[in-house]
């Protein structure tokens, strides 16, 4: 039996009884997807089906999923065995042993003796959810997730174990540490643990060099790394990056099944406009600047445009307008002041910023570590060839980002996990953007959303706009760098078109959700 739950206006969550049913449903769906299906993301008990509503209606998608649910796929052959050396020194080792009624030695022995299998990937590139018939425990996540889990940490949650490929937030209980690199976007074999691989954790330091990844091809997964072959003369030099400045384009959509988030500009509308104003394709890469403070110098003549948040702009000390193309002569300096409203500004430069492309995009993903590192003083940005002429613009209509953001919201796939009062609380309260707001998500302060169900939710696919509610009861709106799977229930989903407004909400601003 398949239960269908809406995940916003562009995706449906198909829920089945167990993991084996997930694998069967996913295989049946993947065998013959109709035009308009963008993505299939399996998880512990669900398959997320993302679609383009301009090409395929939600009722048609639901009918297709139900029909596929009756199909049976043959069992896949087991994958190769990968041994992962592990030091059982995790921060939660002792507490987890006590929680399970074991000694530390018994817990280590049980974890190391099990043969694990990669059921699916998610959360971050290279993060594999491992299951084993030898592991009989259901381990609750931490009540409050850590803001930083170190790379190589090996944890457990629910029926799963897994290792973090890089430093990220996380709520799993940490048992061990490994030095093996789990994901390398520049390598010919980027993923150490592909689906169906068998895994054993070996409590030894001596095997650190012995674990070798099974062959995985980017071509097989549809992924490809692109490099810039010809670099034109340098155009912009970073004199000061401000609080944070990163290269962003429109991101990596439709890669969630690989554990790769969409990423890209958080305010996509602002980046598109900046590109159009200087004659670029809307998808060209630009610079996303957090709270202003960026200073650049032109190494050759070019045109630039700045959009997004409200800040004073000057070229060699002379004020220039936002949302307009301005000529930046060789040697001239552009200074973006501190943002006075909104958070993110976008610098579009004629020809677009050239940067190495990973999985089809130059976007910098803060959670996954993909793309170029944040810009630093002294960095030089090369520009490509423009797509068209610089338009003649006398004035471009735009509005200052408000200190109160009203966004629509629809019920999420797990709204029934909450008390009836929780939905009215969500849609009537004024939520305050906390200081813990970044490209991964916006954490909101306000009243507690009461839950009816308090047991663990098996990990399932997430999307930008999903409103997760951790055990502390306050909502977190996932953004473009958010995890592609998660274990906190989603009470509501903000439509894709409304996410640009949330991207400009700064700490202390108010957010109101309007029920649809």
């Amino acid at each position: 039996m398949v239960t269908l739950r809406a995940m916003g206006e562009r995706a449906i969550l198909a829920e089945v009884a167990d993991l084996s049913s997930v694998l069967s449903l996913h295989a049946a769906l993947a065998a013959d997807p109709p035009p308009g299906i963008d993505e299939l993301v399996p998880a512990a008990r669900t398959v997320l089906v993302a679609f383009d509503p301009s090409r395929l209606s939600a009722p048609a998608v639901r009918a297709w999923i139900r029909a596929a649910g009756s199909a049976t796929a043959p069992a896949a052959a087991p994958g190769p065995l990968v041994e992962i050396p592990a030091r059982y020194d995790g921060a939660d080792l002792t507490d987890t042993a006590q929680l399970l009624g074991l000694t530390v030695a018994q817990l280590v022995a049980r974890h190391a003796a099990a043969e694990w299998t990669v059921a699916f990937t998610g959360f971050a590139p290279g993060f594999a959810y491992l299951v084993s018939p030898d592991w009989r425990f259901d381990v609750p996540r931490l009540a409050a997730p850590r803001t930083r889990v170190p790379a190589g940490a090996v944890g457990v949650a629910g029926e799963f174990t897994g290792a973090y490929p890089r430093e990220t937030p996380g709520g799993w209980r940490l048992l061990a540490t490994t030095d093996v690199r789990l994901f390398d976007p520049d390598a010919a074999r980027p993923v150490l643990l592909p689906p169906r691989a068998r895994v054993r954790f070996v409590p030894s330091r001596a095997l650190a060099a012995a674990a070798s990844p099974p062959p995985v091809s980017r071509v097989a997964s549809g992924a490809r790394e692109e490099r810039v072959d010809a670099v034109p003369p340098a155009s912009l030099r970073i004199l000061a990056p401000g609080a944070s400045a990163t290269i962003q384009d429109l991101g990596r959509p439709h890669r969630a099944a690989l554990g790769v988030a969409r990423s890209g500009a958080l305010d996509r509308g602002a980046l598109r406009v900046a590109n159009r104003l200087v004659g670029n394709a809307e998808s060209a890469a630009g610079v996303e600047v957090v709270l202003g403070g960026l200073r650049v110098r032109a190494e050759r003549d070019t045109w630039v445009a700045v959009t997004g948040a409200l800040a004073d702009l000057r070229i060699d000390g002379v004020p220039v307008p936002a949302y307009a193309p301005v000529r930046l002569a060789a040697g001239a300096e552009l200074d973006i002041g501190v943002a006075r409203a909104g958070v993110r500004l976008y610098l579009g430069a004629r020809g677009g910023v050239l940067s190495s492309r990973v999985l089809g995009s130059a976007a910098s993903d803060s959670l996954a570590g993909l793309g170029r590192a944040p810009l630093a003083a002294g960095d030089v940005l090369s520009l490509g060839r423009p797509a068209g002429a610089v338009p003649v613009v006398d004035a471009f209509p735009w509005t200052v980002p408000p200190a109160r953001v009203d966004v629509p919201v629809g019920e999420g796939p797990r709204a029934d996990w909450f008390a009836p009062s929780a939905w009215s609380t969500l849609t009537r309260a004024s939520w305050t953007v906390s200081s813990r707001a970044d490209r991964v998500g916006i954490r909101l302060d306000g009243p507690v959303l009461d839950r009816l169900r308090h047991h663990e939710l098996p990990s399932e696919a997430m999307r930008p706009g999903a409103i997760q509610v951790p055990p502390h009861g306050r909502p977190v709106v996932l953004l473009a760098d958010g995890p592609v799977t998660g274990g906190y229930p989603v009470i509501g989903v903000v439509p894709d078109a409304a996410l640009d407004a949330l991207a400009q909400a700064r700490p202390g601003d108010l957010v109101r959700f309007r029920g649809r």
Side-chain angles (χ1 to χ4, degrees):
M1 178 180 176
V2 180
T3 301
L4 303 182
R5 303 174 182 273
M7 175 70 95
E9 81 282 21
R10 305 178 67 93
I12 292 172
L13 202 65
E15 184 176 17
V16 292
D18 50 34
L19 185 56
S20 63
S21 300
V22 166
L23 300 179
S24 295
L25 176 61
H26 179 260
L29 293 171
D32 189 25
I37 296 296
D38 289 335
E39 197 160 32
L40 302 172
V41 188
R45 299 290 185 273
T46 59
V47 178
L48 183 106
V49 180
F51 62 96
D52 181 351
S54 69
R55 303 178 64 195
L56 195 62
S57 69
V61 175
R62 290 173 175 270
W64 173 64
I65 297 172
R66 290 193 178 97
S70 61
T72 302
L81 177 65
V82 182
E83 290 187 329
I84 296 182
R87 299 184 299 275
Y88 282 88
D89 56 1
D92 303 313
L93 182 63
T94 300
D95 289 345
T96 305
Q98 294 175 349
L99 183 69
L100 300 178
L102 303 173
T103 65
V104 169
Q106 288 172 331
L107 175 57
V108 170
R110 296 277 190 94
H111 190 265
E115 180 173 291
W116 303 87
T117 300
V118 179
F120 56 92
T121 59
F123 177 66
F127 190 97
Y129 287 79
L130 308 175
V131 294
S132 173
D134 305 320
W135 184 257
R136 305 291 185 179
F137 303 109
D138 186 358
V139 184
R141 291 174 174 80
L142 298 175
R146 289 182 172 89
T147 58
R148 297 175 64 185
V149 175
V154 179
V156 291
E159 62 188 302
F160 301 102
T161 195
Y164 287 76
R166 68 183 303 267
E167 182 179 285
T168 63
W172 290 31
R173 296 178 182 270
L174 307 182
L175 304 186
T177 307
T178 181
D179 296 324
V180 170
R181 190 164 187 180
L182 299 159
F183 180 76
D184 182 358
D186 297 322
R189 301 172 178 177
V191 179
L192 177 64
L193 304 178
R196 299 190 303 279
R198 295 173 295 135
V199 180
R200 283 191 182 276
F201 292 94
V202 181
S204 169
R205 297 175 183 268
L207 293 178
S212 59
V216 180
S217 170
R218 284 190 187 271
V219 175
S221 65
R224 181 170 62 90
E225 180 175 309
E226 302 172 36
R227 293 293 182 186
V228 177
D229 296 322
V231 179
S235 180
L236 296 177
R237 181 178 295 274
I238 305 298
L239 302 179
S244 175
T246 56
I247 304 299
Q248 300 295 343
D249 52 22
L250 295 183
R252 304 177 180 88
H254 318 321
R255 305 282 191 180
L258 302 177
V260 178
R262 184 181 73 197
S263 195
L266 291 194
D267 188 341
R268 288 163 292 169
L271 176 65
R272 287 188 171 107
V273 171
N275 277 322
R276 288 167 52 196
L277 289 171
V278 292
N280 293 341
E282 289 187 350
S283 59
V287 181
E288 181 178 272
V289 186
V290 177
L291 294 175
L294 179 77
R295 287 193 300 117
V296 301
R297 182 176 65 228
E299 300 285 298
R300 60 185 174 94
D301 292 356
T302 190
W303 287 80
V304 296
V306 178
T307 60
L310 174 65
D312 294 328
L313 310 177
R314 290 182 171 83
I315 293 180
D316 290 342
V318 178
V320 294
Y323 282 85
V326 292
R327 185 173 179 271
L328 194 62
E333 295 183 9
L334 169 68
D335 184 353
I336 299 177
V338 175
R340 290 184 280 123
V343 177
R344 295 174 173 86
L345 299 108
Y346 293 86
L347 171 63
R350 183 158 172 76
V353 176
L354 293 180
S355 187
S356 295
R357 298 169 68 86
V358 179
L359 301 179
S361 171
S364 175
D365 185 329
S366 61
L367 183 62
L370 301 181
R372 184 170 178 167
L375 300 178
D379 286 351
V380 175
L381 304 182
S382 298
L383 304 183
R385 295 180 179 179
V390 176
V392 177
V393 178
D394 293 326
F396 191 96
W398 67 288
T399 57
V400 175
R404 169 175 159 169
V405 182
D406 289 353
V407 293
V409 63
E411 283 196 355
R414 302 299 172 185
D416 58 350
W417 278 49
F418 295 85
S421 60
W423 181 255
S424 60
T425 299
L426 178 71
T427 55
R428 293 177 183 175
S430 291
W431 300 92
T432 302
V433 177
S434 78
S435 59
R436 297 173 60 197
D438 52 28
R439 288 184 49 84
V440 174
I442 296 178
R443 294 152 183 84
L444 300 173
D445 291 331
V448 171
L449 300 175
D450 293 325
R451 284 171 59 168
L452 295 176
R453 303 184 190 182
H454 296 279
H455 56 275
E456 295 290 330
L457 174 68
S459 292
E460 58 192 27
M462 295 291 148
R463 290 175 63 80
I467 304 175
Q468 284 189 326
V469 184
H472 56 58
R474 293 174 178 85
V476 178
V477 185
L478 298 183
L479 298 180
D481 284 4
V484 298
T485 60
Y488 299 126
V490 173
I491 188 173
V493 181
V494 175
D496 192 66
L499 293 179
D500 286 1
L502 282 176
Q504 296 295 353
R506 59 197 289 158
D509 283 355
L510 298 180
V511 174
R512 290 288 304 269
F513 296 108
R514 302 192 312 271
R516 302 173 69 189

